[in-house]
Amino acid sequence: MPCRIIDTDSGSTRFQPSVRIGNWVEDKCLEEDTIVNFKRQHDKGELLVVKARKLYDNFLKPIVLAAPKQNIIFGDVVQLMPITMGIENVDSAELNAALSVVINERLVYRSQSINEDCELSVAPSRQPCVRNSFRIVSGGDHDLTGQNIKYGQRFQLQCMSGEQDPIVLYSGPKRCNLQQGINASYMSQKHGEVNLNLGLVQRSKCKSPNSDIPMAYTNWFCRHVNPNLRFESEGEDIPSNSPLVIVHSTTNRNLAAENVMIPTLFGTEFLVSVQNYRNIFKHEIWKNIWMISNGHAAGGSKNSDSH
């Protein structure tokens, strides 16, 4: 109970604002401690709102793509974009979807930049930024910067983060116990079989003899979108913004955009996997048909035939 003071002059009873006893003292101390802890966490950048703001600043920082060219060149900064998304009542052109890096909400306190614990999705892309842009580099030991990339030629996709030790995109076969080699928050299936996932790894780790992720797991190559022209197109330059199939070298499975929506810190996005999707004519369907975009608009159209 608060202390009451009797005003003998007026005969009235009133509360003295400065009086604090019992639970009032405890509540006041707790409030003061809360304010002190808040200021300390704010100054150290430990508040969730501060971490989230830093995360968005890092992931959504604008990126300038390679200068528009007719062909894709080693060293270019590009976007990997599905030609279309087979979603009913959704205009794929307005989505402007692109392969993107996402971070699990459980990791926000620990890291606010792209790291090996991040995952991949297909996300709407208003503009090229850190999370949806990749540098395309040689998949071998030789530096091929400035040279045109050919159909069938191995390449790696580096995230726009960690310049000293690049983080690269990879996939891999299932383990001996048939468990996934890459952990993911969401997974897709084809005919009851769980599809292979995508992951990120520091390039230096792949070079270690004790690494569980061989360098070969980080290599990809492109095939012509038309199966009837693949043999004769092998070794030809890859045009920018044109339909093609992106293949994981080790598993021989294709990069696939799934029409499965997932919630992320950046909003509702779509699953991405490594799986072959073909029709009865052995032609890849829309899930496996992408384009590598460097901003050159004349090469292809997002409304191209997706079989």
Side-chain angles (χ1 to χ4, degrees), residues 63-224:
I63 288 289
V64 177
L65 298 181
K69 307 179 187 71
Q70 189 69 32
N71 300 315
I72 301 299
I73 296 175
F74 281 114
D76 280 357
V77 177
V78 299
Q79 289 185 297
L80 277 63
M81 311 181 79
I83 289 294
T84 186
M85 294 290 294
I87 306 170
E88 190 175 356
N89 300 324
V90 174
D91 186 353
S92 298
E94 292 183 359
L95 276 179
N96 204 36
L99 183 68
S100 303
V101 181
V102 294
I103 189 168
N104 191 300
E105 59 185 12
R106 297 189 301 272
L107 303 174
V108 176
Y109 276 106
R110 194 169 66 198
S111 176
Q112 295 83 48
S113 58
I114 295 177
N115 59 75
E116 292 180 311
D117 294 321
C118 291
E119 302 178 27
L120 283 300
S121 70
V122 173
S125 168
R126 291 187 178 89
Q127 66 175 3
C129 61
V130 168
R131 70 180 294 244
N132 61 29
S133 303
F134 300 86
R135 189 180 302 279
I136 189 165
V137 300
S138 171
D141 295 329
H142 301 289
D143 184 5
L144 302 179
T145 301
Q147 298 184 25
N148 289 354
I149 303 177
K150 318 289 186 182
Y151 283 113
Q153 192 171 20
R154 271 52 175 172
F155 59 83
Q156 294 178 343
L157 295 165
Q158 293 182 357
C159 295
M160 303 305 296
S161 174
E163 295 297 331
Q164 299 301 321
D165 189 2
I167 296 175
V168 296
L169 183 68
Y170 83 102
S171 186
K174 296 178 181 178
R175 299 190 179 102
C176 295
N177 59 2
L178 298 183
Q179 295 296 313
Q180 283 281 2
I182 303 172
N183 295 323
S185 301
Y186 301 94
M187 293 181 290
S188 58
Q189 295 183 347
K190 175 188 175 186
H191 304 318
E193 177 192 6
V194 177
N195 296 335
L196 298 180
N197 296 326
L198 291 168
L200 298 175
V201 63
Q202 289 180 312
R203 199 169 188 270
S204 62
K205 292 186 177 180
C206 299
K207 295 181 178 181
S208 171
N210 298 324
S211 175
D212 294 331
I213 304 173
M215 187 65 75
Y217 285 12
T218 66
N219 285 343
W220 306 80
F221 67 91
C222 293
R223 285 179 175 149
H224 197 282

Side-chain angles (χ1 to χ4, degrees), residues 232-252:
E232 58 193 75
S233 65
E234 193 82 1
E236 292 184 353
D237 294 341
I238 298 176
S240 61
N241 291 66
S242 294
L244 48 75
V245 178
I246 302 173
V247 188
H248 184 241
S249 298
T250 303
T251 61
N252 205 36

Side-chain angles (χ1 to χ4, degrees), residues 223-234 245 279 281-284 307:
R223 285 179 175 149
H224 197 282
V225 68
N226 188 342
N228 298 324
L229 299 178
R230 284 178 185 166
F231 179 78
E232 58 193 75
S233 65
E234 193 82 1
V245 178
N279 58 22
F281 303 106
K282 304 299 182 181
H283 289 192
E284 284 78 8
H307 302 281

